[in-house]
Each structure stands twice: as structure tokens, then as C-alpha cells.
Amino acid sequence: MKILTVENLVRKFSLKILAGENQLQQTITQSRSHRPGLEFVGHFDFFPTERVQILGRKEITYLHKLSIEERKIRIGNIVKYHPPCFIVTAGQEGLTYLTQYCLEEGIPLLCTLEPQTTSEFIMKLDAYMVKKLAPEVAVHGVCINVYGMGILLRGKSGIGKSEIAHTMIGRGHRLVADDIVVLKKLSPRTILATHDGKTKEFLALRSVGLLNVVRLYGRKAFQDETRIALDIELTKWQKDSLHNELDHESRFTEYMDVRIPHIEIQLQPGRDVAGLIEAAANNWLLKQEGYSAAEEFMRRLESDVSL
């Protein structure tokens, strides 16, 4: 089970600790933050108590305007649920009373130091937590970024995945991961691919050895993560087994219940596999724009028949 703590947020976003320094190991289980606006006025029917609570200019201004007694009630109604932490944004001041309540309840109270709006901070925070808490699996393969889209290359050991990735780098594309590809489910439609940390920037080539692609080819040769758009399986050449692309239906591979378009590329000496991968990537991009070469071809055939 993956663990995200308040301390991780402090380090990632350089947050100042106003209270609860000894409670930074509290765990965060929800990948979205929350602004307790309705809760301050007494509505708790849908209060997500397990989320990080964000207090921006609106919330703090409201609290400042309350009487001491009313403020005690409003804040007390929220801190009693013990959320993982409170983060104050937008450079708010006069937080002594809030600090005291958090100290009493053992809740970390943090504040941002960088000049940014509450909305900007929430966007960055939620994106970070979604990635950190996303379900993930590790698969054997190679991941490359081609024309801005992620492609997962799979196949039996020794089939040539890394060698093809090296050729793709030479054509201006980027390596994301070699051998072990970590897939993270960010949403019901989105799979993010990255490396496992240990293999970052490394590419293993048989007969050559381990290469650091950044040292060899520069920063442009590597990308830390990418959204997977295509799953390509590399297989040995089998005579008379290639599909007619006009006849067979689209195929998919599922990772954590997310369907990824799948194609098979058979390998044969002299075949331009890198060029085929580029063609597959461009064809996928055209399909996202609503164009299908096969459908247009069929329309032309039907038009000729009708004449």
C-alpha cells in the first residue's frame, strides 16, 4: 500500500509549519484537497474529512470577521474531525487563533511561501497527490514518447525492444523507461507511464551494455513520464499471419481496467520497425481528430460501386 504523509507535502511544496510539527507523519489517503466553505457555516452533510483542507483568502477573511466566540465555534466544528492537515495559502496573516486550535487538536497547520493564488496551489497539490496515490502496476517492456504521445513496447525477452527504442531516440523521440515500466492509473481513461527510479535514463543494449541516454544524447533523449496512448506488441515474423487492416476490428489491452489501443508489429530483418511505430503514432493522432483512412477508403469503394 502506498503511503503519502503530510511531511511529503511540506518537502514537495516548501511549506512553512505553523503548528503540529510532531504530527507530520499523518497519512493522506485522498488524492483531492478541499476548501471548507460550507462547513464553516454549519453544513457537514458531505464534509470530506480525510482530505487535505485548504484555507484561502475567502475562508480566512470570513474567519477574521467573526467574533471570538463565533470563531471558536466555527473552527471547533471542523478541527474535531481531525483532517490530515490545514494549508493556508495566499499569504494570509493573523492566524494566531487558528494555530492555537490546531496545536490543541494535534493537527498540522501549514502555509505556502511562494506567491501564488489558492487556485494555482490547489491545482499543483491535487496533481501531485493524484500521481502519488494512483494505483500502479509494473510491466516488462519499454516506454517511449513519440510525437508527444506515450507508446508501450512489449514482447518476449530478446525480441529487440531496447534496440528499437535506441533507434527511436536517434530519430528524435524520447526514452521514458526501459525493462521495467511503471503504469499509474490517474483516471478511468488515463494511464501514466514512468520508470521505477533505479533505471531512470538507462537503456540496456545487448552486446553493447548499459547506456545513459542523457549523457550520450542530451536531455532531449529522455522524458520522466508520459500518458500511454498505444500498446504495441513486438512478435516474431509469421508468414501469412498478418491481418488485413480493412477487415479486423480495433483491439485493446487493459491495464487496471483502462483500455489502451493495441497493435501487433511482426519483426523481420530489414523491416523498418521504427518507421512503422511512427506511422502508428501518427495514425492514432489522426483518429483522435476524427479521421480514419480505412473508412475513407471504404467510402471511395462504395462511391465507385454506386456509379
Side-chain angles (χ1 to χ4, degrees), residues 5-229:
T5 67
V6 174
E7 185 176 13
N8 294 141
L9 302 188
V10 172
R11 293 179 177 178
K12 172 65 179 179
F13 297 100
S14 301
L15 302 174
K16 182 179 179 181
I17 304 171
L18 301 179
E21 187 172 1
N22 296 327
Q23 283 78 38
L24 298 183
Q25 293 307 313
Q26 292 197 48
T27 58
I28 298 169
T29 59
Q30 299 296 313
S31 58
R32 300 288 182 183
S33 57
H34 176 68
R35 297 183 73 171
L38 290 175
E39 289 76 19
F40 276 132
V41 295
H43 295 279
F44 290 91
D45 292 343
F46 302 101
F47 181 33
T49 58
E50 296 181 351
R51 294 188 184 183
V52 173
Q53 304 297 312
I54 307 296
L55 304 177
R57 190 178 302 278
K58 291 180 180 179
E59 292 79 15
I60 296 300
T61 300
Y62 170 76
L63 292 175
H64 283 349
K65 291 180 178 180
L66 298 177
S67 66
I68 295 177
E69 198 60 36
E70 184 69 13
R71 187 187 298 151
K72 181 178 181 180
I73 295 174
R74 298 301 183 190
I75 298 176
N77 285 339
I78 290 182
V79 297
K80 70 180 182 182
Y81 288 99
H82 288 89
C85 67
F86 288 99
I87 301 179
V88 180
T89 67
Q92 303 299 317
E93 298 179 351
L95 303 175
T96 304
Y97 59 86
L98 188 57
T99 302
Q100 185 59 38
Y101 289 120
C102 288
L103 283 172
E104 292 174 358
E105 295 292 335
I107 302 173
L109 175 62
L110 317 168
C111 71
T112 60
L113 296 178
E114 295 184 7
Q116 58 188 322
T117 66
T118 302
S119 298
E120 290 173 338
F121 176 73
I122 289 176
M123 190 179 303
K124 294 177 182 178
L125 175 64
D126 286 357
Y128 171 75
M129 293 193 297
V130 165
K131 289 182 182 179
K132 288 298 181 181
L133 294 173
E136 65 179 45
V137 294
V139 298
H140 176 65
V142 176
C143 181
I144 50 178
N145 183 276
V146 180
Y147 301 133
M149 57 181 284
I151 293 182
L152 181 63
L153 299 179
R154 295 186 298 108
K156 293 183 178 180
S157 180
I159 197 71
K161 299 182 294 295
S162 298
E163 288 84 351
I164 292 170
H166 183 258
T167 301
M168 300 298 290
I169 291 173
R171 296 172 81 141
H173 307 296
R174 297 178 175 181
L175 174 71
V176 176
D178 180 41
D179 190 35
I180 298 176
V181 183
V182 178
L183 302 179
K184 297 186 177 185
K185 180 180 178 180
L186 300 189
S187 77
R189 291 186 175 184
T190 305
I191 293 291
L192 188 77
T194 186
H195 48 81
D196 66 353
K198 299 176 183 178
T199 60
K200 179 179 180 179
E201 302 175 357
F202 288 133
L203 182 67
L205 297 180
R206 293 176 184 269
S207 303
V208 175
L210 199 62
L211 306 180
N212 186 310
V213 298
V214 172
R215 293 293 184 93
L216 281 176
Y217 306 114
R219 282 288 163 193
K220 61 180 176 54
F222 176 77
Q223 185 166 314
D224 198 58
E225 58 188 27
T226 187
R227 177 178 176 178
I228 292 295

Side-chain angles (χ1 to χ4, degrees), residues 262-277:
H262 168 86
I263 64 173
E264 176 186 345
I265 294 180
Q266 294 189 4
L267 306 182
Q268 187 182 47
R271 201 172 193 210
D272 182 11
V273 179
L276 292 175
I277 293 173

